[in-house]
Amino acid sequence: MKIYNNYNKYIAAIALSLVLASCKAPVATVIKDEVKENVPQSFNQEDQGDANNNSGTTPWRQFFTDPNLVALIETALKNNQELMITLQEIEIAKSGVLAKKGRLTPTVSAGGGAGVSKVGRYTSEGAGDASTDIEPGREVPDILGNFEGGLMANWEVDIWKKLRTEKEAAVAHYLSTVEGKNFVLSNLIEEVADNYYELLALDNQLDIIQQYTKLQQKALEISKIQKEAAAATELAVKKFESELAKSKATEYTIRQQITEKENEINALCGRYPQTIVRSKGDFMSMIPQTVYTGIPSQLLANRPDIKQAELELKAAKLDVEAARKEFYPTLEISATLGLEAFKPSYLVKLPESVAASLAGELAGPLINKSAIKANFQTADARQIQSLYEYDKAILNAYLDVANLMSKVKNIDQYYKLKSDETKALEQSIDIANQLFRNSRADYLEVLLNQRDALDAKMELVEAKQKQLSTVVDIYKSLGGGWK
């Protein structure tokens, strides 16, 4: 008896050693977010920023004042396919959270079954059945049925909080998909606004080229009159004819660009081609809104792409922790409770037909842990990768705002100088035309003045469009548009 007890002690000691050996787990890589810690205090040395004044926190309905543009954005937010796809990604992530949460509670199922079996009479089971009296005077039949039904439960006890960690990782991933949706919203609003301003610019350029065509038509008529009066040559007539044909060809090019731009906006709105309602007459008089950048650290809270990357980093860290806990033993408890008998009529005889079981199992990986190690190493590498993605998002956001703030100042100066150039060239056109009518200026001078004026007007319209679009871009870069 003493030998038997010692034997049990040895078995228990070996089992405990094996369990402890299986608990050894590698350590995850310790990562440090230096980019976040070293975010500059301002976007440039000249502008220190004001933490209480940040245009990125302004709701888009207050930022955009054009009612036609607001209506287009509302349509896009309802119908855009990319946004709809993103919303389904949120639903998928939400289901992932529910799945992880469900693993924390026991699994209970109900079932039943029936079958027959025959065992040899000269076996231990057959001999036992033959000597059993279920009812007085009746032997147990050779062919026995088996009828059963009841409840079965299984539960993995979360002793290492592995399941809770997996659930927290799923929650972080779900929240990152919500921020991803916000980033899609911000991008969508920016795209609609930029395309809308480009469309208005094309409308104004079409008006300019039509006015230029009329001007060339008049110049051609004057050159023909002067030719008949021997004040000009056939060369002048042909030059004005070619310039008129060129301006008409440019008009059709712009018309095609307008059609394509309208359809880009319709695609963003998730609808078939239709005319975009807009007021082109007010385009050149639009004054870009003043944008306030706040301080760089506010980007971490305002920009959805940064918050999304931060949540993905959090999820990656939790995934590493969950993968590390796979090296630890798991405790599973299973239980059954039901009725079982070899004859259906016996199922209702209680408590004889009641069958129950309860078992606990503690098991851990011991040999051939390569799959678990591979999963851990993969999770650890993804954690580091997520850190780089987060750092990249912060750096790109800072550079976006810094570049666009510089662009706002430069494009304003560019627009002012282009406006002065356009006014001077418009005056020179009148002077050149008057001199040409009086045969005091050559036709080449008239053509050059008209071409320069046309180019200046076209560039002035483009400068206005860049003014407005740059403000929209910096609004989005500051994290605006999704609120």
Side-chain angles (χ1 to χ4, degrees):
M1 189 68 179
K2 184 177 180 181
I3 296 176
Y4 180 76
N5 291 334
N6 290 336
Y7 179 76
N8 287 339
K9 291 180 181 179
Y10 292 143
I11 294 295
I14 294 173
L16 180 61
S17 300
L18 293 177
V19 170
L20 292 176
S22 68
C23 289
K24 291 182 179 180
V27 179
T29 303
V30 178
I31 59 178
K32 186 178 181 181
D33 189 6
E34 297 181 356
V35 173
K36 179 181 177 181
E37 295 176 356
N38 298 323
V39 174
Q41 297 298 316
S42 63
F43 290 103
N44 54 61
Q45 296 180 352
E46 299 176 0
D47 182 14
Q48 296 302 317
D50 182 3
N52 298 321
N53 208 352
N54 190 322
S55 297
T57 59
T58 304
W60 69 267
R61 292 179 186 275
Q62 298 178 17
F63 188 82
F64 298 104
T65 57
D66 188 332
N68 294 321
L69 176 56
V70 170
L72 285 173
I73 293 175
E74 288 177 344
T75 303
L77 295 180
K78 292 178 182 177
N79 302 330
N80 183 262
Q81 282 83 8
E82 184 178 355
L83 181 58
M84 297 300 108
I85 293 171
T86 305
L87 292 176
Q88 294 309 308
E89 290 178 357
I90 293 176
E91 293 300 319
I92 293 172
K94 187 186 296 184
S95 299
V97 174
L98 294 176
K100 296 297 183 182
K101 185 178 180 181
R103 292 187 60 190
L104 289 168
T105 57
T107 300
V108 180
S109 58
V116 294
S117 63
K118 180 182 182 304
V119 297
R121 178 59 63 91
Y122 301 112
T123 62
S124 59
E125 185 177 353
D129 291 343
S131 61
T132 300
D133 284 336
I134 300 298
E135 293 181 355
R138 297 186 62 180
E139 294 183 353
V140 176
D142 291 337
I143 299 178
L144 289 174
N146 187 54
F147 303 91
E148 59 183 356
L151 301 176
M152 293 156 283
N154 189 67
W155 181 32
E156 180 181 346
V157 183
D158 194 19
I159 54 178
W160 311 110
K161 295 186 178 181
K162 179 189 71 172
L163 300 180
R164 288 183 178 85
T165 303
E166 291 178 352
K167 190 198 78 170
E168 291 175 5
V171 170
H173 178 65
Y174 162 72
L175 294 176
S176 76
T177 60
V178 174
E179 295 299 338
K181 181 264 297 181
N182 293 336
F183 189 57
V184 171
L185 282 175
S186 185
N187 282 335
L188 178 60
I189 291 172
E190 178 200 30
E191 286 188 64
V192 173
D194 282 345
N195 280 282
Y196 179 76
Y197 291 137
E198 289 176 17
L199 180 60
L200 292 181
L202 289 171
D203 287 337
N204 281 263
Q205 287 180 334
L206 180 61
D207 290 342
I208 292 172
I209 201 68
Q210 288 174 340
Q211 294 170 7
Y212 182 72
T213 300
K214 293 178 181 178
L215 190 63
Q216 292 303 311
Q217 185 69 49
K218 291 180 181 179
L220 176 60
E221 293 172 358
I222 293 172
S223 66
K224 288 180 178 179
I225 294 172
Q226 288 184 338
K227 177 192 172 186
E228 293 175 357
T233 63
E234 180 69 16
L235 180 60
V237 174
K238 294 302 180 183
K239 282 289 186 180
F240 282 115
E241 284 181 350
S242 66
E243 192 68 16
L244 178 62
K246 179 181 177 181
S247 62
K248 288 183 177 180
T250 304
E251 178 181 342
Y252 286 105
T253 300
I254 295 176
R255 288 184 182 277
Q256 177 61 27
Q257 291 175 344
I258 289 174
T259 299
E260 292 177 358
K261 188 58 62 178
E262 281 187 318
N263 286 336
E264 283 185 37
I265 296 175
N266 284 319
L268 291 172
C269 293
R271 64 190 186 188
Y272 288 104
Q274 57 183 274
T275 302
I276 301 298
V277 179
R278 71 261 193 194
S279 178
K280 61 181 180 180
D282 301 331
F283 179 70
M284 296 305 294
S285 61
M286 288 183 177
I287 300 176
Q289 288 184 306
T290 303
V291 179
Y292 302 97
T293 61
I295 57 177
S297 60
Q298 290 176 326
L299 291 175
L300 304 179
N302 292 342
R303 291 228 351 181
D305 57 332
I306 294 180
K307 291 194 286 185
Q308 181 183 19
E310 183 179 16
L311 288 166
E312 286 295 342
L313 175 59
K314 179 181 179 181
K317 290 179 179 180
L318 291 169
D319 285 338
V320 173
E321 188 63 24
R324 185 172 182 271
K325 291 174 181 177
E326 290 289 344
F327 290 90
Y328 301 159
T330 58
L331 173 61
E332 291 191 3
I333 298 175
S334 59
T336 60
L337 176 63
L339 303 176
E340 185 176 11
F342 66 84
K343 191 175 181 181
S345 59
Y346 291 157
L347 286 174
V348 294
K349 292 188 175 183
L350 302 177
E352 290 83 358
S353 61
V354 174
S357 67
L358 178 64
E361 180 180 352
L362 181 66
L366 183 61
I367 301 175
N368 193 8
K369 301 180 183 179
S370 57
I372 301 176
K373 290 179 180 178
N375 289 336
F376 173 79
Q377 291 170 355
T378 299
D380 194 40
R382 284 178 178 165
Q383 172 193 219
I384 300 173
Q385 187 182 51
S386 297
L387 174 64
Y388 294 150
E389 292 287 348
Y390 181 50
D391 290 344
K392 184 177 74 172
I394 296 175
L395 183 60
N396 288 344
Y398 178 88
L399 294 176
D400 282 346
V401 176
N403 289 337
L404 288 169
M405 285 302 296
S406 175
K407 186 177 180 180
V408 165
K409 296 178 181 178
N410 291 328
I411 199 67
D412 286 345
Q413 295 299 320
Y414 176 82
Y415 180 80
K416 291 176 182 178
L417 294 172
K418 275 297 174 183
S419 181
D420 294 340
E421 178 188 2
T422 301
K423 291 176 182 178
L425 287 171
E426 283 179 346
Q427 295 173 357
S428 69
I429 287 177
D430 295 335
I431 296 172
N433 286 338
Q434 187 66 34
L435 293 173
F436 182 65
R437 291 191 191 96
N438 297 325
S439 300
R440 295 179 60 188
D442 187 71
Y443 68 91
L444 287 177
E445 293 180 278
V446 177
L447 278 176
L448 290 174
N449 271 283
Q450 290 176 347
R451 286 178 181 176
D452 289 343
L454 174 65
D455 292 341
K457 287 181 179 179
M458 291 292 211
E459 290 171 356
L460 183 64
V461 172
E462 290 179 358
K464 174 58 70 174
Q465 178 263 317
K466 288 179 180 178
Q467 262 191 330
L468 297 170
S469 293
T470 302
V471 170
V472 174
D473 294 342
I474 196 171
Y475 173 63
K476 175 251 180 181
S477 295
L478 291 171
W482 60 272
K483 294 184 179 180

